Amino acid sequence: MICTGTFQAKAMKVVLVVLLCFIVHASADTPANCTYEDIRGKWTFQIGPGGHDRTLNCSSFTGDSSSQSITFDLLFPDLVMDENGNKGFWTIIYNQGFEVVINGRKYFAFSMYKTEGRQTTSYCDKTLPGWSHDLMGRDWACYTGQKQASETLKFIPSKKHSIQKRRNLKNVFYKTNYDFIDAINKKQTSWKADKYSMFEHMPMEDLLKMAGGRNSRIVSRPKPYPVTREVLEEAAKLPAAFDWRNVKGVNYVSPIRNQGGCGSCYAFASMAMNEARVRIMTNNTKKPVFSPQDIVECSEYSQGCDGGFPYLIGGKYAEDFGLVEESCNKYKGRDGKCSTDMTCKRQYSTRYEYVGGFFGACNEPLMQINLVNNGPMAIAFEVYNDFMHYKGGIYSRSGLVDKYNPFEITNHAVLLVGYGADHDTGEKYWIVKNSWGELWGENGYFRIKRGSDECAIESMAVQSFPMMKL
Ligand SMILES: *[C@@H]1O[C@H](CO)[C@@H](O)[C@H](O)[C@H]1NC(C)=O
Ligand SMILES: *[C@@H]1O[C@H](CO)[C@@H](O)[C@H](O)[C@H]1NC(C)=O
Ligand SMILES: *[C@@H]1O[C@H](CO)[C@@H](O)[C@H](O)[C@H]1NC(C)=O
């Protein structure tokens, strides 16, 4: 996932520039680029001995003679079966890896990739060492997965996607293009574009990194899932407009934050979802603010300031490791050794899912139903360069390109808090909380066109269910 951040403080900018000198590949997420079809099929998992707790380090695990092998059939759309006919479910996680839940255990691993020099290759028929544990999280084991060649489909066992060398934009600086802003405002009246001084003179490399990094571009996003009649009937009972910042006069959404120049949008969206859902669950008697720095420094389910995914953080990390409050590890906006105060109490989740049950099962009415019934949720969308200029209104992509600032499409994680429709035009929108500070957009929020999967915003919503902490 990409993370677009903003630099409001000059000091942060210096930190970022220094940081980039060390990170040669400022790529977001892992370089793996595996599609649903790459993953679907028969897999053999080599599973190491169980009996460990969650401190188990799987990073150097390789299946050996002491590991047992189990074969799973990953079927359409989300059914998994083992050799004894037991059933479970599975989902891909964007283009990064997949999770399987069957026989009381969960298995998650990133897809395999290798970096040699400036070339990165993903091997979608293999996984990196992953983590398996029982549903209660008491019994952990490491595993690796290998996909079996199929007899019917001509599967190419080592399908590769090479990531090409791109133009170095470290010394290309962003400069506001007023003609571009004028052109956006002339082309449409639904939203207003404006200049932001916080972007001025920022290296384009940083801006892109803020926007999730150059490898995070959505390549095989699912289309919104077909809407069933039951879902439509349920959605028809919902209010015409809804906003978790004002439910009968009560606000359940935590304050706007600023991720700065670190690709940590996924952590901010994940924390914000859990913060709001705890407020809802406790009728605002508990208002924790969770620590994105704990995620950036300590999570092996994400890539620090280089990106990550709300499914793995707001959901899986919250379930497996729990979230700590901000005071346990204050936000620094840069990578580092895990420095979280381990005596802090943790807020756990009991369950998490892609809305609809698996990646690719999402659509507008399902998002509305889950939003109103369960609370705000983490979503992601494609960022085009006109979005940076959003000042207010209902955003939809202008299709215009800023010729002077070489921008690539990135993928940004944010928090969905409400929906509505414009009084005059009837244009439907989502209300979304961003993590670029209060000066950006509509006091840190934006509205975006609803019902047409604008910028893929209706294709990958994630929700997590926090447990009552005593
Ligand atoms: C796991 O082990 C590897 C070396 O095999 C080490 O580099 C890494 O830091 C360890 N991770 C944790 C979380 O301790
Ligand atoms: C990722 O994979 C898709 C589908 O195989 C391909 O079209 C796309 O070019 C790949 N992207 C990169 C960055 O390799
Ligand atoms: C929730 O909190 C509000 C404001 O303090 C209070 O008026 C209301 O009665 C509470 N609701 C419940 C169900 O306790």
Side-chain angles (χ1 to χ4, degrees):
M1 174 113 324
I2 297 163
C3 280
T4 311
T6 62
F7 298 103
Q8 284 184 325
K10 263 198 175 145
M12 283 291 286
K13 198 155 157 183
V14 173
V15 166
L16 187 75
V17 172
V18 171
L19 201 73
L20 279 169
C21 300
F22 296 102
I23 300 169
V24 182
H25 298 278
S27 62
D29 316 331
T30 81
N33 178 24
C34 303
T35 64
Y36 179 86
E37 289 303 335
D38 291 336
I39 304 299
R40 173 185 177 182
K42 212 170 245 202
W43 284 78
T44 298
F45 288 176
Q46 295 290 333
I47 307 164
H52 298 274
D53 67 14
R54 68 187 187 190
T55 60
L56 178 65
N57 186 341
C58 291
S59 66
S60 53
F61 175 80
T62 50
D64 58 23
S65 56
S66 70
S67 50
Q68 59 170 314
S69 75
I70 303 184
T71 297
F72 295 121
D73 220 347
L74 274 46
L75 303 165
F76 178 85
D78 66 335
L79 175 69
V80 53
M81 277 174 78
D82 71 3
E83 285 157 315
N84 300 317
N86 296 305
K87 288 175 185 165
F89 62 90
W90 70 286
T91 181
I92 53 167
I93 297 150
Y94 199 69
N95 62 355
Q96 300 277 286
F98 60 103
E99 186 172 54
V100 174
V101 182
I102 186 169
N103 298 336
R105 293 192 76 87
K106 294 190 174 192
Y107 302 83
F108 162 70
F110 287 109
S111 292
M112 168 82 87
Y113 60 87
K114 282 181 186 158
T115 303
E116 291 143 50
R118 295 191 133 258
Q119 285 280 311
T120 304
T121 309
S122 58
Y123 300 86
C124 298
D125 62 331
K126 292 183 183 63
T127 74
L128 289 173
W131 302 264
S132 167
H133 60 73
D134 65 307
L135 295 182
M136 306 307 290
R138 293 190 191 109
D139 176 37
W140 288 61
C142 303
Y143 78 98
T144 58
Q146 168 74 60
K147 191 177 179 185
Q148 293 180 6
S150 145
E151 298 112 40
T152 46
L153 293 169
K154 266 199 209 134
F155 180 73
I156 305 156
S158 59
K159 175 176 172 172
K160 298 181 184 184
H161 313 279
S162 292
I163 287 153
Q164 275 144 33
K165 195 173 154 180
R166 294 196 186 92
R167 190 179 155 201
N168 183 347
L169 297 174
K170 265 184 213 150
N171 298 317
V172 180
F173 297 92
Y174 178 82
K175 199 167 175 324
T176 302
N177 177 352
Y178 291 93
D179 290 344
F180 180 52
I181 294 173
D182 285 348
I184 297 169
N185 289 328
K186 277 207 188 92
K187 185 164 178 190
Q188 52 81 44
T189 53
S190 185
W191 62 280
K192 195 172 176 317
D194 209 346
K195 167 205 160 93
Y196 280 104
S197 51
M198 58 188 162
F199 299 138
E200 200 67 40
H201 305 309
M202 191 184 292
M204 280 311 295
E205 189 80 27
D206 296 9
L207 206 86
L208 279 163
K209 172 161 169 152
M210 291 179 1
R214 301 163 92 182
N215 290 339
S216 67
R217 180 175 176 168
I218 297 172
V219 285
S220 61
R221 68 179 168 96
K223 294 215 162 46
Y225 210 59
V227 180
T228 63
R229 213 184 63 205
E230 288 82 358
V231 165
L232 267 186
E233 281 168 7
E234 208 182 329
K237 295 179 204 145
L238 297 172
F242 189 85
D243 185 349
W244 279 108
R245 296 171 303 173
N246 182 359
V247 182
K248 299 193 182 95
V250 181
N251 173 29
Y252 295 92
V253 183
S254 52
I256 291 283
R257 299 193 64 180
N258 192 341
Q259 69 186 79
C262 164
S264 53
C265 60
Y266 68 94
F268 279 86
S270 295
M271 301 305 106
M273 166 169 59
N274 284 280
E275 287 161 9
R277 287 180 172 224
V278 168
R279 287 176 178 227
I280 294 165
M281 181 170 64
T282 65
N283 192 24
N284 270 330
T285 58
K286 296 223 165 97
K287 296 180 174 182
V289 171
F290 296 119
S291 165
Q293 191 65 33
D294 173 66
I295 304 304
V296 167
E297 290 178 359
C298 313
S299 163
E300 294 204 52
Y301 294 163
S302 53
Q303 290 71 46
C305 283
D306 285 336
F309 291 85
Y311 181 88
L312 293 174
I313 298 306
K316 190 170 177 69
Y317 184 85
E319 183 180 286
D320 289 353
F321 297 96
L323 309 177
V324 294
E325 293 195 26
E326 178 71 5
S327 58
C328 303
N329 193 347
K330 291 211 173 73
Y331 192 59
K332 303 177 196 84
R334 55 175 188 271
D335 291 308
K337 268 218 171 90
C338 183
S339 65
T340 298
D341 176 355
M342 289 302 169
T343 65
C344 283
K345 285 203 172 134
R346 294 186 163 255
Q347 169 68 54
Y348 292 93
S349 271
T350 56
R351 183 161 78 83
Y352 54 91
E353 63 178 17
Y354 280 110
V355 167
F358 56 93
F359 185 74
C362 197
N363 57 42
E364 179 203 5
L366 273 175
M367 282 166 72
Q368 288 178 282
I369 292 164
N370 284 285
L371 176 77
V372 172
N373 291 338
N374 305 327
M377 49 202 180
I379 56 173
F381 70 106
E382 294 171 346
V383 174
Y384 295 83
N385 58 358
D386 60 0
F387 182 76
M388 314 297 287
H389 294 292
Y390 173 86
K391 192 70 185 171
I394 303 170
Y395 176 82
S396 62
R397 198 185 151 198
S398 69
L400 297 170
V401 177
D402 183 348
K403 273 184 257 170
Y404 299 104
N405 293 295
F407 196 86
E408 293 166 48
I409 308 161
T410 54
N411 185 15
H412 183 45
V414 285
L415 186 76
L416 179 65
V417 302
Y419 63 83
D422 188 90
H423 289 301
D424 302 325
T425 62
E427 190 177 9
K428 298 194 301 176
Y429 57 79
W430 298 111
I431 307 167
V432 187
K433 183 190 190 192
N434 203 351
S435 49
W436 298 349
E438 282 176 343
L439 299 179
W440 186 87
E442 298 179 330
N443 301 315
Y445 288 82
F446 65 97
R447 287 176 292 152
I448 185 168
K449 194 173 173 187
R450 169 167 65 96
S452 54
D453 197 30
E454 182 66 36
C455 297
I457 202 153
E458 282 148 21
S459 53
M460 48 198 140
V462 166
Q463 62 180 340
S464 168
F465 297 82
M467 106 177 33
M468 178 64 79
K469 194 173 123 185
L470 299 173

